[in-house]
Every structure is written in structure tokens, then in C-alpha cells.
Amino acid sequence: MSYLQNVLSQVEAKYSYQPEFLQAVREVFESLAPVITKNEKLYEQEAILERITEPDRQIQFRVPWVDDTGKIRVNTGYRVQFNNAIGPYKGGLRLHPSVNLSVIKFLGFEQVFKNSLTGLPMGGGKGGSDFDPKGKSDREVMAFCQSFMTELYKYIGADEDVPAGDIGTGAREIGYLYGQYKRITGLYEGVLTGKGLSYGGSLVRTQATGYGLLYLVDELLKNHQSGIEGKTVTISGAGNVAIYAAEKAGQLGGKVVTLSDSTGWIYDKDGIDLDLVKEIKEVRRGRISEYKDAKPSADYHEGRGVWSIPTDIALPCATQNELLIDDAKELVKNGVKAVCEGANMPTTIEATKYLQENGVLFVPGKASNAGGVATSGLEMSQNSERLSWTFDEVDAKLKGIMTGIYANIDSAAKEYGMAGNYVAGANIAGFSKVVNAMIAQGAY
Ligand code: NDP
């Protein structure tokens, strides 16, 4: 049995109860095979695969908070500090009922490679809780965030571990978390990113993941004698990533015709009215079904279905495992040219393979959605300098980073004889930098 297969079997046996984490490890290992084979003796000696699949530490804690009726409620909080070989741990906090240790470990593991790809000095981590902010009052969300940070503050710091937003953690939650950190520690430092502009946040951070995704799509298509102008774009989700992906797609001349949330999806053949979506989602915190109330000419369907609409560019921007094999078949049948992930691991391994085998340009989230964390890295730099850069400065840097990521994953794939396989390219490019740093820093 090869070194890689041996470690994979060990991880599978040890963490058989963590399906999302195992899915991420299998996907990464599969595409790393050529690199591991080339350096097998060294990596085995250094236990690189054993070390890279085991987090530096994982912290789990109780989060008690008082609801509006005066009752004490209890959630579970997590922070997984995966790897800090190339910089302080960095990764978001997810607040969603589906959160468990397996989900946080999968996200933290992927984050290590994604952060490496940005070229910025950031290690990988992730955290969150099974708390659901949906349907809670602002006071309840504040009570939860204060309790969560009362435990978390012990393990984070501007040079140690810098959390950020993710599903369910937006500007409101980051504000409450930051306030509590400052209150307990007395420190005014860049310990969280995604902060409000008046207290250390960066311009473009709100738009960064969605905009960055489209900068990468643009670069990808340009390198394949095409472009976004005049193309139909289908997007899932209606949160932070989906909304700003739709905005930039429109600015680059594409026509976005779908969006969704966990209840249903909309199809507007005339192109989605984004001002209306922002009003529903960002102001009212409502459901995507309300779009049809304001625009009766659009279609609304309950459940899933975005990927049944014929499109040139498909951008899954909601959550993990939302683009399945049957969706991939439907997309290919309808002539899709490119699928680029805005969410983390939205495409199953089976669906990814089907798309690649059928000539679809496929870019995994760890490369295509890295604009968010890259801009968080830029927020950290501004906090350290105690300066604020202009929108155009940050946007130009973001564009440069996304263009660089495309060049990196493209050349890594070519170097190992897998031209056009951006899954392999992203894993190889992200992995190599982290491994070199781990070896240089010795056994720990
Ligand atoms: P938001 O919470 O702002 O939006 C998430 C969207 O996805 C909502 O429309 C939500 O619908 C939908 N959704 C969430 N869970 C499910 C589910 N189980 N089934 C169907 N729909 C679901 O999150 P973001 O936009 O920030 O994040 C989206 C994805 O992008 C995640 O995978 C995240 O990890 C990833 N990502 C985010 C970054 C960022 O900067 N925000 C950076 C890099 C990656 P509903 O409101 O009904 O729950």
C-alpha cells in the first residue's frame, strides 16, 4: 500500500463518523497523488500527511445564553486551529444548525490550502456553533455572541488566530463578537475581520468573495478564448457570496437569472433585479419567495432546482453538497461552459468528476472563493498599519490576487501533466507552500 493510501485508510478508520471531513480529505489526497509519489520518502519520514490531517488543536465549549422569555438556552461552540505553518490561524465562524465537529474540520482543512493560495501569510482554522440566528431578535443574537466570545477570547488574538464571518455570521454578529472581545481583554486589535468600517473594517470586504469569484471566472474564460459578456449565469444562494457574485457578473456583462435560499429558488428570465434582492435579504432579512410578490413575471419554486436552468456559467454559492451528480448531468446536457464554486465544497466528488470528464471548466472553492479571506488578510494589514485603504486600492489588490491564483493553479496543474484540472492545480499549489514551511520548522 502506498504512503498516501495508508494514511487515508488510517484517517478513514479514525474519523469514520466525520463524513464531511473525510470527503474533503479524499478530494485533496486524490489530486495530490503525483506530488506525494514524487516526494514519498521525504513526506513519509516527515509524517506530512499524518500531520496535515490532524488539527493543531480543536476547542469545543458550551455557549449558554438567555432568550427573550428569560429561559437559558445552550449551544455548542467550536474553534478548530488546523495549521499555522505559514501564518496565524485564519478562517470564519459558521452559525447554522447543521454545524458539528465534522463540518468545522472539513472547513478548517480546506482553509489551510485556500489561505496558502492567496499568497498572504495566513494559516487555516474554522469555527462556529449550531446556533441559528434566523428568527432570533437582535438582543438574542447579541446574548449568544457575547457568551460565545466569553469563551473563545482565550484562544484568539491578532497574531494568533483571527476569525471572520461565514454562513450566519455577518456584520451584526461580528460587531457583537468584537465588542465583547474588546470588553474582556481591553485590546483594540485586529482580532476579527469583516468588521464595520467605523471600527477597523476594510472597504470591499463585504463584496470580496463574490467579486473575487467573478474576477477568477473572467480570467479563466479569457484564457479559454471567451468572456463573461453576454453569457447567462445561474447562481444558487442569496447570501453574502451569491449577492455580490451576481452584482459583479452583471457589471462584467453577464445576465444572472437565478438565486435561491434554503426554502426555494427564483428564475427571472429578464435578469435578477439585485436591488430588490438586497432589500429582501439585507434589509428585511426575508425569504427569496418575496421576490415574486414584487415581480410577478418571475418564477418561484419550492425546494431545489437552480441547476435545471440552461446556462453558460454556473456558480454554486449556498452551502456544501448542493450540486449533485444529477445536477451535473443536467448542466452538461444544457451546454454549461464553466462551473466555479463560490461556496465551500458545494459540488460532490462524483459531480465534480462528471463535469471535468465532460469538458466543463471547473474551479474548486478553495481557489475561486479565496477572495473573501484574501481581503480579510488585507484588513489585517490595514489594522496593523492603522491605516485604511480606498475602495479602489483594495479592489485592485483583490483582482491582482485572484488573477495570481488562476495563474498558480493553472501552472501547478500543467507542471504535473494535468492541464485544465484546476482541482489538482489548487490542491498542489496550496499544499506545496504549507509543506515546505512545515518541513523547515521541524517536528511539532
Ligand atoms: P450567508 O449566510 O450569507 O448565505 C448563505 C446562503 O445559502 C443563504 O441564501 C442560505 O439560505 C443558503 N443556505 C445555507 N445553508 C443552506 C442549506 N443547507 N441548503 C440550502 N441553502 C442553504 O453565507 P455566505 O454567503 O457567507 O456563504 C455561502 C457559502 O460561501 C458557504 O459555503 C461559505 O462557507 C462560503 N464562503 C463564504 C465566504 C464569505 O466571505 N462570506 C468566503 C468563502 C466561502 P437561508 O438564508 O434560507 O439559510
Side-chain angles (χ1 to χ4, degrees), residues 94 134 166 168 205 209 238-241 261-262 287 318-319 343-344:
R94 178 172 291 191
K134 240 181 273 156
D166 190 66
R205 178 59 191 93
T209 308
N240 173 265
V241 180
D261 62 18
S262 52
R287 309 307 302 160
T319 192
N344 285 315

Side-chain angles (χ1 to χ4, degrees), residues 94-96 98 106-107 111 114 126 134 165-169 205-206 208-210 236-243 260-264 281 286-287 304 316-320 322 342-346 365 369-373 376:
R94 178 172 291 191
L95 299 182
H96 193 271
S98 63
F106 122 62
L107 290 163
Q111 196 81 44
K114 181 191 302 191
K126 198 84 187 187
K134 240 181 273 156
D166 190 66
I167 290 179
T169 307
R205 178 59 191 93
T206 305
T209 308
S236 62
N240 173 265
V241 180
I243 287 177
S260 67
D261 62 18
S262 52
T263 325
K281 284 289 174 184
R287 309 307 302 160
R304 304 172 67 252
C317 294
T319 192
Q320 65 266 18
E322 51 151 321
N344 285 315
M345 211 168 71
N369 71 29
V373 73
S376 280

Side-chain angles (χ1 to χ4, degrees), residues 15-27 94 98-107 109-110 320-321 345 349:
Y15 296 115
S16 57
Y17 57 96
Q18 296 183 341
E20 293 86 0
F21 175 57
L22 290 182
Q23 183 182 341
V25 172
R26 283 188 198 111
E27 183 254 310
R94 178 172 291 191
S98 63
V99 163
N100 56 42
L101 190 56
S102 170
V103 168
I104 298 298
K105 277 182 70 182
F106 122 62
L107 290 163
F109 182 67
E110 292 270 305
Q320 65 266 18
N321 295 328
M345 211 168 71
I349 294 181

Side-chain angles (χ1 to χ4, degrees), residues 83-90 121-124 160:
N83 186 302
N84 67 352
I86 63 167
Y89 305 107
K90 180 90 197 89
M122 298 183 291
E160 191 180 355

Side-chain angles (χ1 to χ4, degrees), residues 163-184:
D166 190 66
I167 290 179
T169 307
R172 173 182 60 172
E173 290 75 16
I174 293 288
Y176 294 147
L177 291 164
Y178 189 68
Q180 186 70 355
Y181 179 85
K182 195 174 53 116
R183 188 176 177 199
I184 298 174

Side-chain angles (χ1 to χ4, degrees), residues 2 30 92 125 129 142 150 155 161 166 174 182 192 195 207 209 216 228 255 279-280 325 329 341 379 391 421 434 439:
S2 72
E30 195 168 303
S129 173
M142 181 170 70
T150 300
Y155 311 101
D161 183 355
D166 190 66
I174 293 288
K182 195 174 53 116
L192 289 166
K195 299 186 290 300
Q207 297 86 349
T209 308
L216 187 130
I228 295 172
K255 183 161 94 168
E279 162 67 23
I280 295 169
I325 180 69
K329 287 182 179 166
E341 296 182 328
E379 183 174 331
F391 188 97
N421 184 341
V434 174
I439 293 174

